[in-house]
């Protein structure tokens, strides 16, 4: 129900759920590469960079979760303020 601020709570909750789902779909599964006896500086560098990339994805996902939670808290506060304002105008 839209009130004074016009925050559509159904759309808001749906958007939060969608953002959460997108963050959940970021692949943070660490793949382990084992050596089969080869000696390749290029392959070793690739493994280092791959590990760094996985670390970046994990950090990015954590930041997304933190931002989504902050957005959710702010939305709840706006909804509470909307309820109070609506009560004042009744």
């Amino acid at each position: 129900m839209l009130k004074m601020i016009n925050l559509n709570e159904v759309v808001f909750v749906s958007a939060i759920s969608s953002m959460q789902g997108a963050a959940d779909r970021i692949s943070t599964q660490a793949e382990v590469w084992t050596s089969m006896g080869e000696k390749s500086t290029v392959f070793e560098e690739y493994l280092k960079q791959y590990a760094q990339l996985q670390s970046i994805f994990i950090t990015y996902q954590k930041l997304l979760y933190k931002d989504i939670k902050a957005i959710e808290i702010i939305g709840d506060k706006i909804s509470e303020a909307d309820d109070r304002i609506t009560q004042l105008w009744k």
Side-chain angles (χ1 to χ4, degrees), residues 11-89:
V11 172
F12 183 78
V13 169
S14 175
I16 291 291
S17 178
S18 179
M19 287 186 274
Q20 184 74 37
D24 290 342
R25 287 188 294 276
I26 294 174
S27 178
T28 57
Q29 296 296 322
E31 293 187 32
V32 178
W33 300 74
T34 56
S35 172
M36 299 174 74
E38 72 279 349
K39 301 248 184 209
S40 169
T41 55
V42 172
F43 186 65
E44 288 174 12
E45 186 62 29
Y46 170 79
L47 292 179
K48 283 187 218 172
Q49 289 181 7
Y50 188 80
Q52 289 174 342
L53 181 61
Q54 285 181 319
S55 175
I56 290 168
F57 280 144
I58 290 168
T59 301
Y60 180 63
Q61 187 181 50
K62 287 178 184 177
L63 289 171
L64 282 177
Y65 286 141
K66 184 177 176 183
D67 287 347
I68 292 166
K69 188 63 181 170
I71 292 168
E72 187 175 15
I73 290 169
I74 290 168
D76 290 341
K77 297 294 182 186
I78 290 171
S79 181
E80 288 173 15
D82 202 8
D83 289 340
R84 290 179 183 157
I85 292 169
T86 302
Q87 291 298 322
L88 289 173
W89 285 93

